[in-house]
Amino acid sequence: MSNFLLLVSQRKEDLEFAQSVAATAGLSSVKVANAKDAAVVMANESPAIVFVDTTNPVFFQEFEAAVHAKLGLFSEQVNPNRIHFISREALGAVAQLIQSPLFGHFVQRTDLSPGPSGEVYGRLVQATLNDRAFSLSRLVKEGVKIQTIKIKESTQKVNAVEAVKKFLMAAKFPTRAATLIANAVDELLMNSIFDAPVDEMGKHIYSSTPRTTVLKLDGRNQVEMNLAFDGSYVAIMACDLFGSLNKQKLLTHISKMYTNDEYKLKASVAGAGIGLANVFRSGASFLFSCAAGDRTEVTVFFKRTDNFRELKDQFQFISTQFYSESTS
């Protein structure tokens, strides 16, 4: 694998953003203007990361077809964990990306700047270059303090969520924003506690268990929450030790949420990022990292804004890193 970021775009703003991301991640950058040239570079030089402008559906189709013809969509040279699609449109307008075997990451061009946006996303990209994109410390600025809360009983979730809200209020987040983020954390922890646990056959243990049930969270059922704030961005991560998150279910739910306004996520559907599509619509960004059978980390990112309205217009992304087996 070569140590460079390949940008497939003709847009100046994409180039500036990609260069900022590459610099933060310790990569050089190479730009090509069309899908065929991109497929050639991917086949011959194996770039570390690929950014693709997919605002135009035809351009995306050309890219997918060129990769299929030159490498094969399921080739070992094609790793969706390292392919990033950039679009001016919201996710709902480019929902075909989610159905593609190439899908790994989605970046919306709103507030796409080479400064703060490039630095935030550059740290994520750098993390994905490791064997496993785990640990909140890789996603925040060096030296930023990370607070850790270990949830030892399901009832402690309420106190953890309230602690997050108080922290955000003290950090001068707007009240509505602090409430929204606290609700997102509640979803993350609820998923880790009730949706993640599976038995040896992969069946969800608590799929029919009322969410008010008191559970002891020891051994493999341990749940951990990490929180970091660098003065601009807050990042909050929930971790479980099952690694049961299903990528296709997750992406299907998000896709349906954005293509059908009447669609509502059902709490009875386990292990699929339940409820988080609403949070994403409200301005959040997410990184889902999952090593099958071993560990899942879901991190939500929010930029502090002066008012709630600005929260929904901030730089946004959804990233997925799925690994087939554990390194432990």
Side-chain angles (χ1 to χ4, degrees):
M1 181 178 67
S2 300
N3 197 36
F4 70 89
L5 182 157
L6 173 64
L7 172 66
V8 192
S9 175
Q10 298 178 357
R11 300 175 187 270
K12 179 181 178 182
E13 63 266 41
D14 290 353
L15 177 60
E16 293 175 345
F17 175 68
Q19 289 175 335
S20 176
V21 169
T24 301
L27 303 171
S28 60
S29 60
V30 173
K31 176 181 174 295
V32 296
N34 61 71
K36 289 185 178 180
D37 288 348
V40 170
V41 174
M42 291 173 67
N44 296 337
E45 301 182 52
S46 189
I49 296 292
V50 181
F51 277 17
V52 186
D53 173 20
T54 54
T55 299
N56 184 336
V58 174
F59 193 92
F60 164 70
Q61 293 166 6
E62 290 174 349
F63 175 75
E64 190 176 54
V67 171
H68 178 63
K70 190 69 178 179
L71 299 97
L73 293 180
F74 301 97
S75 164
E76 292 183 358
Q77 291 178 277
V78 179
N79 184 351
N81 284 346
R82 297 187 174 179
I83 298 178
H84 302 246
F85 294 129
I86 306 175
S87 176
R88 183 179 64 249
E89 308 296 335
L91 187 59
V94 288
Q96 70 274 13
L97 300 180
I98 289 177
Q99 306 305 322
S100 172
L102 300 178
F103 184 86
H105 311 265
F106 171 82
V107 178
Q108 189 170 349
R109 202 175 276 109
T110 303
D111 195 25
L112 191 67
S113 67
S117 299
E119 292 175 7
V120 168
Y121 205 68
R123 288 192 291 272
L124 183 149
V125 165
Q126 187 174 40
T128 66
L129 297 176
N130 294 279
D131 288 338
R132 298 289 184 265
F134 290 137
S135 178
L136 187 61
S137 62
R138 291 174 170 173
L139 304 173
V140 298
K141 292 179 181 178
E142 185 176 355
V144 172
K145 182 179 180 181
I146 297 176
Q147 300 186 39
T148 299
I149 299 177
K150 295 185 181 295
I151 313 295
K152 298 183 179 181
E153 186 177 282
S154 58
T155 55
Q156 294 176 345
K157 174 182 71 69
V158 176
N159 292 334
V161 171
E162 186 61 27
V164 169
K165 185 174 181 179
K166 289 181 179 179
F167 176 90
L168 296 171
M169 294 292 290
K172 308 301 182 183
F173 278 75
T175 301
R176 287 182 65 189
T179 300
L180 174 68
I181 298 169
N183 288 341
V185 173
D186 187 87
E187 292 286 353
L188 293 181
L189 294 177
M190 189 73 77
N191 291 343
S192 295
I193 294 169
F194 288 97
D195 297 324
V198 293
D199 60 21
E200 293 181 355
M201 301 301 293
K203 181 180 179 181
H204 290 275
I205 299 171
Y206 302 118
S207 59
S208 301
T209 301
R211 276 17 183 183
T212 55
T213 303
V214 178
L215 299 177
K216 294 291 184 182
L217 305 177
D218 52 13
R220 198 179 180 193
N221 287 72
Q222 294 178 61
V223 171
E224 182 177 297
M225 182 186 80
N226 293 333
L227 180 151
F229 177 57
D230 65 6
S232 296
Y233 275 88
V234 64
I236 306 169
M237 184 201 77
C239 170
D240 70 73
L241 302 179
F242 284 91
S244 61
L245 188 64
N246 183 288
K247 181 177 180 179
Q248 197 54 52
K249 282 185 178 180
L250 171 70
L251 296 178
T252 298
H253 282 312
I254 293 175
S255 175
K256 288 183 179 179
M257 187 68 184
Y258 280 84
T259 57
N260 183 353
D261 290 339
E262 300 302 317
Y263 179 85
K264 302 296 181 183
L265 290 174
K266 298 180 180 179
S268 61
V269 182
I274 304 303
L276 296 183
N278 273 328
V279 181
F280 181 64
R281 177 184 285 184
S282 300
S285 291
F286 285 101
L287 169 61
F288 297 89
S289 296
C290 180
D294 181 51
R295 186 181 187 90
T296 298
E297 292 183 0
V298 182
T299 307
V300 61
F301 303 82
F302 273 99
K303 182 180 179 181
R304 185 176 64 181
T305 58
D306 293 331
N307 57 67
F308 185 78
R309 182 180 301 173
E310 293 177 356
L311 193 74
K312 298 182 70 173
D313 296 327
Q314 64 182 269
F315 167 65
Q316 221 177 349
F317 58 86
I318 181 166
S319 294
T320 64
Q321 294 288 121
F322 280 79
Y323 311 104
S324 60
E325 56 187 35
S326 169
T327 57
S328 62

